[in-house]
Amino acid sequence: DAGVIQSPRHEVTEMGQEVTLRCKPISGHNSLFWYRQTMMRGLELLIYFNNNVPIDDSGMPEDRFSAKMPNASFSTLKIQPSEPRDSAVYFCASSRDLGGSEQYFGPGTRLTVT
Amino acid sequence: TQLLEQSPQFLSIQEGENLTVYCNSSSVFSSLQWYRQEPGEGPVLLVTVVTGGEVKKLKRLTFQFGDARKDSSLHITAAQPGDTGLYLCAGRRTNAGKSTFGDGTTLTVKP
């Protein structure tokens, strides 16, 4: 079975550019999570969805960040405009539902903003 | 303020040694998970504990949830180089709530 799929795996962009990260959750999973991982701040939850509806976006750092889940098999995290301090590894994870605690993580997207 | 404190932050040991890493909080959790993350990959779930005092074993790994459900430990017996990685604990305060991750313990097992 395919796990959580993220693309691209690596993204290098210049400050001010728009960045779009993509995620395909595990089929049948109803909850999807976006995390950011840095050495300084560890693994931070940015936003999560349940049945395609955003439940909690309190972790989204600024208005430059936005996330959508147009259907059960696809989600995007967009940064516009990007800044060097956005450089991090961004993970998408999915779980069967919010009541189940097991989250399955994708391989991550390593973002570098120069 | 970090909700979950993990210690030690870094640990480097020789193959065959035993070790324990800790995950502590002042908050009560409905469940707590342990993940291992290898370089270039996402965290992989090792175990979930839900009952105070619960002990779970996964081969050479023993996980314990504190009686008050505020802390947890991971003990590895006879560590192997394949155990090298970042060990993360994550707690959920309600059954439908989000998970909060600790900063992790980076373990290096030298052959």
Side-chain angles (χ1 to χ4, degrees):
Chain A
D1 288 342
V4 175
I5 300 172
Q6 290 188 248
S7 64
R9 291 296 309 274
H10 301 273
E11 177 80 37
V12 180
T13 190
E14 292 184 346
M15 182 174 64
Q17 296 298 306
E18 177 180 294
V19 174
T20 300
L21 311 181
R22 297 172 176 80
C23 175
K24 177 178 170 56
I26 293 173
S27 178
H29 282 193
N30 296 320
S31 299
L32 183 141
F33 307 79
W34 282 102
Y35 290 89
R36 177 173 69 176
Q37 188 175 40
T38 62
M39 289 292 292
M40 291 295 294
R41 301 174 68 90
L43 195 62
E44 303 174 278
L45 177 64
L46 301 177
I47 184 172
Y48 66 98
F49 296 81
N50 192 51
N51 293 323
N52 312 338
V53 176
I55 302 300
D56 185 343
D57 65 354
S58 59
M60 295 285 262
E62 298 173 35
D63 291 345
R64 299 183 295 106
F65 286 69
S66 62
K68 294 182 180 179
M69 192 164 185
N71 57 62
S73 59
F74 184 65
S75 178
T76 60
L77 177 67
K78 185 175 295 186
I79 308 173
Q80 166 63 17
S82 59
E83 296 183 3
R85 61 193 168 120
D86 301 331
S87 297
V89 181
Y90 290 80
F91 288 102
C92 176
S94 70
S95 65
R96 194 168 293 111
D97 50 48
L98 285 183
S101 56
E102 291 82 358
Q103 293 183 26
Y104 296 83
F105 283 76
T109 294
R110 180 173 293 277
L111 174 65
T112 302
V113 183
T114 60
Chain B
T1 301
Q2 183 65 24
L3 190 62
L4 281 167
E5 299 280 349
Q6 289 192 244
S7 62
Q9 187 176 1
F10 298 96
L11 185 58
S12 181
I13 61 172
Q14 292 295 134
E15 182 176 1
E17 293 184 6
N18 301 331
L19 67 114
T20 302
V21 298
Y22 300 92
C23 176
N24 295 307
S25 176
S26 57
S27 300
V28 177
F29 294 101
S30 64
S31 67
L32 192 140
Q33 299 80 44
W34 283 93
Y35 293 81
R36 180 170 67 215
Q37 183 179 17
E38 298 187 18
E41 299 181 8
V44 175
L45 180 69
L46 296 174
V47 77
T48 299
V49 287
V50 296
T51 305
E54 181 176 5
V55 176
K56 282 192 173 180
K57 292 192 174 184
L58 185 65
K59 297 183 180 178
R60 296 176 291 100
L61 279 61
T62 302
F63 304 85
Q64 184 162 8
F65 202 12
D67 291 340
R69 292 186 288 128
K70 293 182 178 181
D71 52 77
S72 181
S73 64
L74 159 59
H75 181 80
I76 301 179
T77 303
Q80 298 177 0
D83 296 327
T84 293
L86 175 67
Y87 287 82
L88 295 160
C89 65
R92 290 168 63 107
R93 298 178 72 176
T94 66
N95 285 335
K98 58 188 177 184
S99 292
T100 300
F101 281 79
D103 284 343
T105 293
T106 299
L107 171 65
T108 302
V109 182
K110 301 175 184 177

